[in-house]
Amino acid sequence: MGVHTAHNAESSDHAAVSHQFEDIGQQNEIYIVGMWTFLVTEIMFFGVLFFAYVLYRWKFGDVFYEAHKVLNVRLGFINTTVLLTSSLFMALGVRSAMLKNRKMTLFWLISVIVCAFAFMVIKYFEYSAKIAAHEIPGPFFQWHGPGSAGQAEIFFSLYFAMTGLHGIHVLIGIITLGILAWMVAVKHKAVDDYMPIEMFGLYWHFVDIVWIFLFPLFYLMPHG
Amino acid sequence: MDHSENQAHHAPPLKMFIATFSFLLVMLWLTVAVSYVNLGPLNNVVAMTIAVAKMMAVILYFMGVKAGSKLVWFWAAAGFIWFLLMFFTLGDYMFRPNVVGW
Amino acid sequence: MKEETNSMPAHDAPQVNYLNWSHTVKSWLLTGDHKRIAMLYLISVSAFFLVGSAAAGLIRLELTSPRGVLLENETYNKIFTMHGVVMVFFFLIPAIPAILGNFLVPLMIGARDLAFPRLNLLSWYVYMAGGVCAVIAMMTGGVDTGWTFYTPYSSMYSKSQVVWAICGAFFAGFSSIFTGINFIVTIHKMRAPGLTWFRLPLFVWAQYATSVIMILGTPVIAITLLLVVVERTLHIGIFDPKLGGDPVLFQHLFWFYSHPAVYIMILPSMGVISELMACFSRKRVFGYSFVAFSSLAIAALGFLVWGHHMFVSSQSMYQGMVFSIISTVVAVPSAIKVFNWTATMYKGSIRLETPMYYALGFLGLFLIGGLTGLYLSSMATDIHLHDTYFVVAHFHYVMVGGTIMGYLGGLHFWWPKMTGRLYSEFWGRLSAILVFLGFNATFMPQFVVGYLGMPRRYHYYYLMPEFQIWHVLSSFGSILLAVGFMLPAFYLTWSYLKGPKAGPNPWNATGLEWTTQSPPMSHNFDEPPIVTEEAYAYDAEAEEAEDIEEAPAAKPAHAPKPAGG
C-alpha cells in the first residue's frame, strides 16, 4: 500500500508514532488490542443488565410478554435498520480512511452521525409515548394490562435501563463522531493515520451489537 | 520492510461490506418474521441464534476480527465467554427454596 | 512528600531523571510519564490511607467500651462505612497496581512507557474525581450502608449520602479499569526483545493476572452500583422487593466483582513477595512457572467463588455447596505460592533487610489469613462465623496482612529506584517489626471474640462484658500498628529529602528495572534492553559475585523488534 513509511526504533519521531512505540505496526496493533480490551469491559458492563433481564424474564415470563406488547415493533424495526446501516457507513468510513480518501471519510462519518441522530429521534418518540402512557417506572407508573403491576414495572425498569444505557452510548458516539469529523475536515494531524477512526469504528459496531440483542429481546418476545 | 501492516491493513474490498450488510438485513427480516410464528420455546432459540449470527457477522467483518491477530481474537472472545460465567448465578435461582415467588 | 521536587539538592543530582527534569506543577499534572503518575498515585493513595486509618482509629477507640460512649449509633455506622469505602476502593485496590505497578511494569519489561500514557494520566484524574465524590459524601453527612451498599437498604431506606459514595466507588472502578487495560496491552505487546513470557518477573505476571480481573470484574460493580443509584433517584427498580425484584441479586452482582477484588488486592502483593523472596534469598524463585500460573489460576477461580459471601443470604443451599467447594479449591494455587516461596528460601543465602522483613511478615500473616479463610469457605462453619469479628479478622489478615505487607515491602524494595535515595535500615526494620506485631495484636483477639459471637458492625456489647478484654487488646494492638505505619511516612520522607544516594542497584537484584539509573530518566532506557536470560539469575551470580551488573552480552547490530505476542 505504501502509505506507511518504514520505521525503526531510532526514527520513531514520526508524527503518527508515539514515543513509547517502536514503529507504526506495533502502535496500530496495540491500539486495536487496547480497544478490544476496553470493549471487553463494555461487554461485562452491559452483561449485568442482560443477565438481570434473563433472570427476570425467566421468573416473570407471562407479565413480561404482556408488557412487551406495549413496545412499538415498527419503530424498533426501523431503528434496527438505521443502526445496521450506520454500522455499514462506519465500516465504509474506516475503509476510506485506510485508503487515505479524506473526502469520502468525512462523507461516511457524517452519514453515521445522521443515522445515529435519526436513531435518537425515534428513541425520543418511543420514550415520550411511554412516559405519556405512565409506563415509566416510579411514582407515576400505571399498569392496566393483565398480571402484576410490580413485575410489569420491572420490565419497564429493565427496558429503560438497557435502552437508556445503550442510548447514552449512542450519544457519546455522536459527540465523538462530531469531533472526529471535525478533525478530518480540518486535516488535524491526529487523524493522519486511520487508527483513531478504526478505534471509534470498533466502539460503534459494539453499540450496534448491543442493539442487535436488545431488539429481539424486548420487541419480539415470544409467548411464554 | 517486514511490517505487519502491509498485509493486515489492506483495505478490505467493498463487496465484503455490502455482503455483510445484506446478510444483516436478511437476518433482521427473518427474526421479525419468525417472531410472528409460534414455535413454542424454539422461538427464543431461533431469535438468539439469529442475533448471535448477526453479531458474528459484525465482529468478523465490520470489526475486522477475521483479519486480526491472534491476540485480537483472544480478547474479542474473552469478554463474551466471561459474560456467560455470570449465568452461573442462575444455579442459585433454580434451586432456591420457594419463598414467596423466589 | 510534596509534588514538587525543589528540595532535591542540586549538587548530588547532576543526572537528569524523571523527577528533576522539570519542576513545574504543569509538568506533573499533565505528565504522561508512568513514573510520575505512580508518584501522583503514591501521594493521593497515601492521603486516603490516612483518612481510612483515622476512621479505623475511631472504631477501635469506640470499641474499648461496651456501651459505645464515644459515638452515636448512626455515626458509628458512618465511620465504619467510611473506613471500608476508603480503604477498599481508594487504598487497597489502587495501592500496588497503580503505584508500584505503574512505576515498575514498563521498567521491568524494558519499555519506554505504558501503551497509553494519556489513559494512564486520565486514570489518576478519574481516581481523584472518585476521591472527591467520596470526600463530599463524608462531608455532607456520611454514608451508613457499609461499604457493601446492600439493597434494599441502600436503594430505598438509607437517608445518607449513598449516591455520592457510589459515585466515588464508580469512578475509582473506572480508574482501575484504565490501569488494567494499560497493563494488559503493555505486557502483551511491549516486552523488550528476548523477554519471553517465561522470562518475565513474577511481579509482571501478577500484574497481568490482576489486570485481567480488573477489566473483567470492575465493569460489573460499576453498573451494579449505577443500578442502585438509578433505583434511588429514578425509581428504576431492579432490586426492589416491593415490585417482586430480588435484593439478593444485588449481592450476587456485587460480589461477582468484589470477591475477585480481593484478588486485585492480594495478587500484586504476591508478585512483590516473589521478587523479594528471590532477591533476598539470592535464588531463583522455586517453581517459577507454577507461581506464574497460580496467579492466573487464582484470577480465574476467584471469579467462581463469590457466593461464599452469601451463605446466609437466602441463596440456594445447593449453589452454596458449589461455591463452598470452589472456594476451598482457591486455597490450592495460594498454597502453591506459599510453598514455593518457602522453598525459595530453603538453602538460599537469606539477607534480612527491611523488604525481606516485610516479606517474611507477609508469609506469616497470609498463612493465618488463608487458613482461617478455609473455615469461612466451608458452609457449615460459616453459618456460625458469618458476620462476626472472625470474618473481620480473616479479611484483615488477607487484605491488610497480605496487601499492606506486600505494598510496604515493595515500596521499601523499590524506594531507592523510585527516589534514588536510601532510607535508614534501622527504622525500616523497626517499622516492619512493629507492623507485624501490631497487626497480630490487633486482629488475633478479633478471631477469638468473633468465634465467641461478637457480630461485626456492632458497637454495643454490654450484655457480653467478657468481650471487652479482647476489644481492648485489639485497640492496644492498633496503636502499635499505627506507629508502625506512621514511621515509614517519616523516614521515607527524610530519605527522599536527605537520604544517601542509592546506586542503580542497591540490592544487587536482577531485573531490567535495576539496570537503569536511580531514579530512572524519563524515557527509562537509553537503548532498548535485550534480554538473554531468565528472571532471577541469582544462582550464576553466586559464583561470580563481582560482575552482577554486567550488561547483557549479546547486542545484535540490527534494530531490535518488540517481542510481540
Side-chain angles (χ1 to χ4, degrees), chain C residues 283-361:
Chain C
K283 269 178 76 188
R284 188 163 199 265
V285 170
F286 182 84
Y288 170 95
S289 49
F290 278 90
V291 180
F293 279 120
S294 65
S295 289
L296 292 181
I298 290 175
L301 282 174
F303 268 102
L304 295 166
V305 300
W306 75 87
H308 67 222
H309 295 267
M310 301 163 58
F311 284 154
V312 298
S313 73
S314 90
Q315 177 185 235
S316 147
M317 184 179 75
Y318 306 104
Q319 181 82 345
M321 286 177 190
V322 177
F323 277 128
S324 178
I325 292 164
I326 305 175
S327 306
T328 316
V329 172
V330 182
V332 174
S334 313
I336 286 177
K337 281 182 187 283
V338 172
F339 287 131
N340 281 341
W341 292 323
T342 318
T344 307
M345 285 191 287
Y346 178 67
K347 286 193 172 172
S349 32
I350 297 173
R351 293 189 316 198
L352 282 178
E353 293 181 68
T354 309
M356 190 59 171
Y357 274 59
Y358 278 110
L360 293 174

Side-chain angles (χ1 to χ4, degrees), chain B:
Chain B
M1 174 128 178
D2 59 346
H3 290 192
S4 53
E5 75 260 26
N6 282 342
Q7 60 272 13
H9 300 146
H10 268 311
L14 204 57
K15 250 190 344 211
M16 185 190 89
F17 290 126
I18 304 296
T20 311
F21 181 63
S22 321
F23 173 77
L24 289 172
L25 284 189
V26 170
M27 283 292 139
L28 174 62
W29 279 100
L30 191 64
T31 193
V32 173
V34 170
S35 76
Y36 289 102
V37 187
N38 191 352
L39 301 174
L42 271 182
N43 270 110
N44 285 322
V45 180
V46 172
M48 283 301 102
T49 311
I50 292 176
V52 169
K54 283 158 83 182
M55 174 184 86
M56 292 309 286
V58 172
I59 289 180
L60 290 178
Y61 297 102
F62 279 178
M63 298 170 98
V65 167
K66 192 153 191 281
S69 65
K70 269 192 208 132
L71 198 55
V72 171
W73 275 89
F74 175 77
W75 282 108
F80 293 101
I81 291 169
W82 221 251
F83 161 61
L84 294 178
L85 194 71
M86 224 177 268
F87 287 83
F88 186 34
T89 317
L90 284 179
D92 173 18
Y93 291 94
M94 278 179 208
F95 301 113
R96 210 183 265 190
N98 226 351
V99 269
V100 214
W102 286 93

Side-chain angles (χ1 to χ4, degrees), chain C residues 49 53 400 404 408 431 435 439 480-489:
Chain C
F49 181 62
S53 306
V400 186
I404 299 192
L408 286 178
S431 101
V435 169
F439 184 86
L480 271 186
L481 190 58
V483 174
F485 285 147
M486 288 309 280
L487 279 179

Side-chain angles (χ1 to χ4, degrees), chain A:
Chain A
M1 206 160 40
V3 266
H4 304 300
T5 49
H7 288 280
N8 56 34
E10 280 72 39
S11 73
S12 60
D13 54 346
H14 182 282
V17 181
S18 297
H19 74 98
Q20 69 271 31
F21 302 125
E22 301 296 330
D23 55 40
I24 190 105
Q26 187 197 21
Q27 171 171 314
N28 283 350
E29 170 77 1
I30 280 175
Y31 280 173
I32 296 284
V33 175
M35 198 61 202
W36 266 106
T37 48
F38 171 71
L39 292 184
V40 166
T41 70
E42 288 275 30
I43 292 168
M44 298 305 286
F45 203 63
F46 278 98
V48 171
L49 290 168
F50 277 101
F51 171 71
Y53 171 89
V54 169
L55 177 66
Y56 283 120
R57 179 161 149 200
W58 170 51
K59 282 285 174 190
F60 308 147
D62 293 339
V63 178
F64 269 39
Y65 176 73
E66 294 301 328
H68 106 281
K69 287 182 187 162
V70 170
L71 302 180
N72 188 329
V73 182
R74 183 169 300 158
L75 289 183
F77 176 79
I78 295 172
N79 251 353
T80 316
T81 316
V82 166
L83 219 48
L84 290 177
T85 314
S86 81
S87 242
L88 172 72
F89 291 165
M90 191 67 233
L92 295 176
V94 174
R95 184 173 179 274
S96 306
M98 279 181 183
L99 297 172
K100 300 255 152 196
N101 188 338
R102 204 173 59 86
K103 284 216 177 80
M104 284 315 284
T105 310
L106 191 59
F107 172 76
W108 291 123
L109 287 184
I110 290 171
S111 315
V112 179
I113 297 179
V114 171
C115 285
F117 200 69
F119 178 88
M120 291 309 281
V121 168
I122 295 173
K123 206 80 229 152
Y124 167 78
F125 284 117
E126 279 193 83
Y127 274 11
S128 30
K130 298 278 164 307
I131 292 165
H134 295 287
E135 281 149 0
I136 179 157
F140 308 111
F141 185 78
Q142 289 169 16
W143 178 242
H144 306 295
S148 142
Q151 295 179 4
E153 197 170 338
I154 288 194
F155 173 85
F156 286 105
S157 288
L158 283 167
Y159 170 78
F160 278 103
M162 295 173 84
T163 57
L165 189 66
H166 178 263
I168 290 171
H169 277 77
V170 175
L171 265 183
I172 294 171
I174 292 177
I175 293 164
T176 319
L177 269 169
I179 296 169
L180 273 180
W182 171 79
M183 284 167 104
V184 172
V186 302
K187 299 187 187 173
H188 194 287
K189 74 172 171 10
V191 290
D192 272 353
D193 193 50
Y194 73 98
M195 210 19 92
I197 297 169
E198 163 96 42
M199 284 167 77
F200 176 79
L202 291 180
Y203 169 85
W204 192 253
H205 295 310
F206 173 77
V207 173
D208 189 27
I209 288 174
V210 172
W211 188 261
I212 284 178
F213 282 92
L214 287 181
F215 175 60
L217 286 179
F218 277 107
Y219 292 82
L220 305 176
M221 209 179 284
H223 192 48

